Amino acid sequence: QVQLVESGGGLVQAGGSLRLSCTASGGTSSIYIIGWFRQAPGKEREFVAAITWSGGTTYYADSVKGRFTISRDNAKNTMYLQMNSLKPEDTAVYYCAAGIWLYRTPYYYTLKDKYNYWGQGTQVTVSS
């Protein structure tokens, strides 16, 4: 079993920055991809970004391209999401997720049901 623990959320003004962290423990050798989803009140959980655990290939939602950067430090079993130029519409609970399966089509990594393990979430609030 893989356990995921997020940290780094908080309150920031529009235009500001935050860095989220997700530390994995347990069966980390089974992880193929790890990423972030977010869920705003009354909305569906949506894909934000993901990175392959070993190769470092990255995927981003169009809404965050150019503003957010995902990275990982395998030695620390930790994945990061650097969020710059934050907007009020980025306000949500951010969840770390890990998947163990390889898919030929990258689109599948944007689907929450393709991820096997989830963290508890961390709140990000961007004030206008």
Side-chain angles (χ1 to χ4, degrees), residues 37 47 106-115 118:
F37 285 72
F47 172 76
Y107 166 73
Y108 286 113
Y109 297 126
T110 71
L111 304 178
K112 55 184 181 294
D113 64 352
K114 301 305 181 188
Y115 289 78
W118 291 85

Side-chain angles (χ1 to χ4, degrees), residues 6-102:
E6 305 100 332
S7 62
L11 173 64
V12 64
Q13 288 189 330
S17 300
L18 279 176
R19 188 176 81 156
L20 305 183
S21 299
C22 173
T23 299
S25 61
T28 56
S29 61
S30 66
I31 297 174
Y32 178 75
I33 192 161
I34 189 165
W36 294 94
F37 285 72
R38 66 186 181 186
Q39 188 166 17
K43 294 190 176 181
E44 293 286 321
R45 192 171 297 191
E46 64 175 5
F47 172 76
V48 177
I51 186 168
T52 56
W53 193 241
S54 59
T57 302
T58 57
Y59 306 93
Y60 293 96
D62 288 342
S63 59
V64 305
K65 278 181 184 175
R67 300 189 299 123
F68 292 10
T69 302
I70 192 169
S71 61
R72 87 269 186 259
D73 184 334
N74 293 103
K76 296 181 179 180
N77 284 341
T78 300
M79 181 262 293
Y80 305 98
L81 185 69
Q82 178 65 43
M83 304 187 294
N84 299 329
S85 302
L86 282 161
K87 305 174 181 180
E89 50 263 45
D90 294 318
T91 296
V93 177
Y94 283 69
Y95 295 91
C96 177
I100 63 173
W101 300 111
L102 183 158

